[in-house]
Amino acid sequence: MPPRESPAIIPGKLADNIAYFARLLRDAGLPVGPASVLDAIRAVEAVGLGGKQDFYWTLHSVLVTRHEQSILFHQAFEMFWRQRALTEKLIAMMSPQAIAAREPPKPKAGAQRVNDAFYREPPREVEERQLVEFDARLTMSEREILKQRDFAQMTAAEIAAAKREIAQLRLPYDNVPTRRLVAGGSEVIDLRRTLRAAMRSGGNLVNIAYRQVGEKHPPIVALCDISGSMADYSRLFLHFLHAISEKGRRVHGFVFATRLTNITRALRTRDPDEALEQASKAVKDWDGGTRIAHCLERFNKDWSRRVLGQGALVLLITDGLERQVDDGLAGEMDRLHRSCRRLIWLNPLLRFDAFEARAAGIKAMLPHVDEFRTIHNLKSMGDLVKALDRKADASADPRMWLKKVG
């Protein structure tokens, strides 16, 4: 970047602009502290401003510490260090414009988070006035209001806040015993480790080693309906799957509408925006129709034996509104139920007090699930996290919904 005019918020003060840029990165989620800012300024002074690429990689080498942070850094750099683009955005915000007829381009991974961080902090005089005006608000906290808000009725800002709440969910300690023994305990003698320790000590001192039954978290397998009627709920549920996979859980994710798609590899990507972008690229039938029976058949034939071992827990999120219901749907549900330790059906239609199991698809599926829960807001998602504990109280018998309609 040429040293003529510093392309940032305060022209002519490059060190201050680097500090503002570091603050933007920190607001977007990168762990950038004061020491990193000083290192970045010193690095730029040492390298010089030979060109834009040199400046980019100098800051990148100091402020980015992990590979998954590169996406956010790139989006923030492109937004912050382009004076012309920044000026156009400010002018567009302050003057009326006609709505473009063509569809806007799809945002890249991380762009929304950087944009929210860039425009998060208002001017100080405006901020002080807002503190006075909005001092006495509703008695219920914003977090409690957000927990009760339906996913389908959330604004863009509320969805962003909901994603942050989802990332803070803590799963219960529900380890299950495994067949493989691990070091520890005081009952089963580990002969191999005992003899090796004796050989190292020359036979003078023998420390007996023991083994015990190992434990690990059971895998979680999620089958998520992404048809048109489920789009508002399935997107945030995928954020939930990414959040629990980040906490060391073995999560296998599948989405379906008219076909079944495995998105497990995409969910393992560290950055949540990049993970969902990769998942959306792999899915060809988003917001389409629904073929539940066909997709369950493909899962039972192609993936059941691979992912449903070691006491797997299956989360099935769908409204159960199948277009063509036959005996195949009940048969595939029964096979899925027999293959896993526990099958939980998450249906957003349960949010309605007047819900009745009258649809043919719901009638065919209900006899083959262990629990029947709603999944329409953050509170219901928190209840699901508590229900994943094996010691938690199970929900009411799903078959009671069939008895209500006769």
Side-chain angles (χ1 to χ4, degrees), residues 241-255:
L241 293 181
H242 181 270
I244 61 178
S245 63
E246 280 286 290
K247 296 175 174 59
R249 296 299 182 106
R250 290 177 295 163
V251 178
H252 303 278
F254 297 85
V255 295

Side-chain angles (χ1 to χ4, degrees), residues 20-32 72 113-114 116-121 164:
Y20 284 124
F21 177 62
R23 181 188 299 180
L24 171 64
L25 293 177
R26 185 165 56 251
D27 292 341
L30 270 65
V32 179
L72 288 176
R113 288 161 61 185
V114 173
D116 294 341
F118 193 86
Y119 296 107
R120 176 181 301 171
E121 184 177 1
R164 292 191 293 269

Side-chain angles (χ1 to χ4, degrees), residues 94-361:
M94 298 169 60
S95 62
Q97 290 186 357
I99 300 178
R102 59 186 181 86
E103 184 178 356
K106 185 178 181 180
K108 298 181 179 180
Q112 184 60 41
R113 288 161 61 185
V114 173
N115 184 73
D116 294 341
F118 193 86
Y119 296 107
R120 176 181 301 171
E121 184 177 1
R124 293 185 178 179
E125 59 273 9
V126 177
E127 184 178 6
E128 292 176 357
R129 186 174 68 252
Q130 289 179 344
L131 290 176
V132 176
E133 292 177 355
F134 299 100
D135 187 29
R137 298 190 59 183
L138 299 178
T139 55
M140 181 180 292
S141 66
E142 294 183 0
R143 176 172 295 182
E144 293 300 325
I145 297 175
L146 186 66
K147 287 183 178 180
Q148 301 292 338
R149 185 65 59 87
D150 193 300
F151 289 151
Q153 299 175 356
M154 283 186 174
T155 63
E158 290 173 336
I159 290 177
K163 292 177 182 178
R164 292 191 293 269
E165 291 292 329
I166 291 173
Q168 297 177 3
L169 292 176
R170 296 292 180 266
L171 294 180
Y173 185 82
D174 60 341
N175 283 4
V176 295
T178 62
R179 296 182 180 180
R180 179 168 298 183
L181 300 178
V182 297
S186 59
E187 298 180 358
V188 182
I189 297 178
D190 190 340
L191 184 59
R192 177 179 296 180
R193 292 176 57 233
T194 302
L195 294 178
R196 286 182 178 177
M199 293 174 61
R200 286 194 296 267
S201 63
N204 298 325
L205 180 63
V206 178
N207 292 325
I208 299 178
Y210 294 91
R211 294 188 297 174
Q212 63 181 359
V213 177
E215 290 184 346
K216 64 169 52 177
H217 294 294
I220 297 178
V221 180
L223 300 170
C224 186
D225 187 348
I226 56 172
S227 60
S229 59
M230 291 291 300
D232 293 330
Y233 304 96
S234 57
R235 294 182 189 277
L236 285 177
F237 187 77
L238 291 180
H239 275 276
F240 168 74
L241 293 181
H242 181 270
I244 61 178
S245 63
E246 280 286 290
K247 296 175 174 59
R249 296 299 182 106
R250 290 177 295 163
V251 178
H252 303 278
F254 297 85
V255 295
F256 67 91
T258 57
R259 68 185 72 178
L260 183 72
T261 305
N262 186 357
I263 61 170
T264 303
R265 181 172 297 180
L267 291 176
R268 293 173 182 170
T269 305
R270 291 293 182 88
D271 186 84
D273 293 325
E274 184 182 6
L276 264 68
E277 183 183 29
Q278 291 184 9
S280 63
K281 290 180 179 179
V283 177
K284 305 299 181 183
D285 55 344
W286 205 294
D287 292 345
T290 310
R291 299 173 61 191
I292 302 177
H294 170 74
C295 296
L296 290 180
E297 178 184 7
R298 298 317 314 164
F299 175 81
N300 289 330
K301 289 184 177 180
D302 300 337
W303 298 101
S304 177
R305 293 185 179 181
R306 304 185 192 182
V307 301
L308 292 185
Q310 301 179 347
L313 173 69
V314 176
L315 303 178
L316 175 63
I317 172 172
T318 179
D319 52 14
L321 302 180
E322 174 71 294
R323 292 183 177 180
Q324 299 178 352
V325 180
D326 52 20
D327 296 336
L329 178 58
E332 297 301 333
M333 282 292 298
D334 180 63
R335 180 177 176 181
L336 177 62
H337 187 207
R338 294 172 183 268
S339 302
C340 64
R341 174 174 59 92
R342 194 167 157 208
L343 176 56
I344 301 178
W345 182 6
L346 306 172
N347 191 334
L349 293 180
L350 277 177
R351 71 188 187 276
F352 299 115
D353 296 334
F355 171 80
E356 293 183 354
R358 295 187 177 277

